[in-house]
Amino acid sequence: MLTRTLTFEGRLDVLKDASVKSTLTDIRHGVERETLRINENGSLALTPHPQTLGAALTHDLITTDFSESLLEFITPPERKPETTLSQLRDIHRFVAKNIGQERLWPMSMPCFIENEDSIPLAKYGNSNVGKMKTLYRKGLKNRYGSMMQAISGVHFNFSLPDSFWTAWLEKTHTGTVDKDSISAAYFGMIRNYRRLCWMIPYLFGASPALCGSFVKGKKTSLPFESLGNGTIYLPYATSLRMSDLGYTNSAQSGLMICYNDVNSYIASLRAAKSSPSQAYQKFAPENGEYQQLNANVLQIENELYSPVRPKQPTQSLEKPTDALEARGVNYIEVRALDVDPFSDVGISPDHFYFLDIFMVYCLIAPSSAFTRESYQETEDNLKKVVIEGRAPSLTLSKDKTSIEMKQWAEEVFESFRSIAKILDEVNETTTFSEALERQWLKFVDPSNTPSGRLLNLLKVQNKDNGILGREMAEEYRARFLTEAYELTHESDFVHMATQSINAQKDIESNDKLSFETFLQEYFADLAHYSTDSLKTIIQQGCA
């Protein structure tokens, strides 16, 4: 299927067509929110994942990420942001009532952690798949350190309905509407997302400061300043979580993942997970115990730290690239969001409304293929904004030309307003346009950004970041303990917890293979990949 040559204005006219516009009410969102369990004094809770919450391996809504201490809450795809936020609050209410005196840390950068070796790896039981998940985390610890893995974020999942793709592609493309043409359109969206990804940490980044324990004993080139109370910060930073300290870790800076089409993207990931890494050979088995899943550049595909991912729900033990290859792109995972400390659930309604506008813009704007240089330009812009995004007259690079960030934002916001108007009309509201203008005020005055607000609080009150986090955690905990459930009754959560524990027991009882044999079979497909053929696919997709 070939894209018809249409300007942005021409594609905007297609979006306004009644047959296309009417499908926009069925945009779906889901949220994955991470949060550390902390003790009353603000230190990391080192207790195991509470059994009252269920089994992290098999629970659909409540699981763990890297650590036993790092919870992850997951909501299913829904149309209305209000529904997702109610689901998320219900999960928080149930958790708050079932973790004793522990609290939920309200920030992206971790609380005070005296020794990163004390951070407990997440455990998922005695099944082969459970042991594989824990071993993967041991590999992450060895490769990147546990402290980086204690960082929390919010992932925003965005999808357009089949009815949209049928109506949109019939008017903007020639050929069949199928998984390949839908995937190609999603990848066009991803490229535009990466071109404008700098905007996400500027608008929603909330980690300009952190506890000094995070960098204790580590070398960093960042020119941190100190508040004199254990908190360090960068004056104009927006999201230290997205800096080289966190999830744009420099250890993966050499990876060239191709986003020009689904096939070269799949080949890029398969090449990384099938290529031996000299740096990781040192993590050899010790006393008969594995130290990582393998010594390749990526142990598995999920190890890739990216601000966006194309996703297709996986079946049992199915690899993400296999799912993409078989069924195409189903949704986009936006991974550049900090936890919003000013929201009790880490995300606000404005996130939803703005990101709907943002993602629809990324879809309908023309999207040329990346070269290595244009891809690197997106990386450089993102790194610049996370470190100094609120600096006066900050300049970025747009198509190799220097441009003031605010000027670029002003140009794009004009297009955003057209899309917001369409979304308002079809949803019979003014919410999208109102939310968009609140985001524009952050470009008018950087002190309106979450990072600006947070840093101002710390400075004006001469308050330690950890103390502020504890106060927020305390306030939100009191709220969760007293509020009534909105959509899910407590008995439903209890039932889900019991079901998940039983499901984990079933998986464990049905294991027939040794762990070593299980791993050999799981990674057997690596032998089928020809490095040369993968490189050819990548080179064809990414000039």
Side-chain angles (χ1 to χ4, degrees), residues 274-332:
S274 59
S275 300
S277 165
Q278 187 173 358
Y280 300 146
Q281 295 289 335
K282 62 185 177 183
F283 303 122
E286 295 179 4
N287 301 320
E289 288 191 12
Y290 292 108
Q291 298 301 307
Q292 56 187 347
L293 287 174
N294 54 58
N296 295 333
V297 174
L298 298 179
Q299 298 174 89
I300 56 176
E301 294 145 7
N302 286 345
E303 190 173 337
L304 174 68
Y305 299 129
S306 171
V308 64
R309 282 180 185 165
K311 298 294 288 282
Q312 169 65 240
T314 55
Q315 300 166 4
S316 177
L317 292 176
E318 186 181 32
K319 299 175 182 68
T321 52
D322 292 344
L324 283 174
E325 188 173 52
R327 300 184 295 283
V329 182
N330 179 261
Y331 66 95
I332 298 298

Side-chain angles (χ1 to χ4, degrees), residues 213-234:
S213 67
F214 188 87
V215 296
K216 185 179 179 181
K218 296 183 177 69
K219 292 181 179 179
T220 175
S221 60
L222 296 176
F224 282 112
E225 297 183 20
S226 173
L227 289 176
N229 52 21
T231 298
I232 58 175
Y233 69 99
L234 293 180

Side-chain angles (χ1 to χ4, degrees), residues 43-89:
S43 63
L44 183 68
L46 303 179
T47 50
H49 182 66
Q51 280 288 293
T52 50
L53 302 183
L57 178 68
T58 49
H59 202 297
D60 291 332
L61 307 181
I62 303 171
T63 184
T64 53
D65 195 88
F66 170 77
S67 171
E68 286 286 272
S69 311
L70 184 55
L71 291 167
E72 183 175 356
F73 306 149
I74 303 166
T75 68
E78 297 284 354
R79 294 182 180 89
K80 297 188 180 217
E82 297 81 7
T83 303
T84 297
L85 288 166
S86 292
Q87 291 171 332
L88 204 52
R89 285 198 174 87

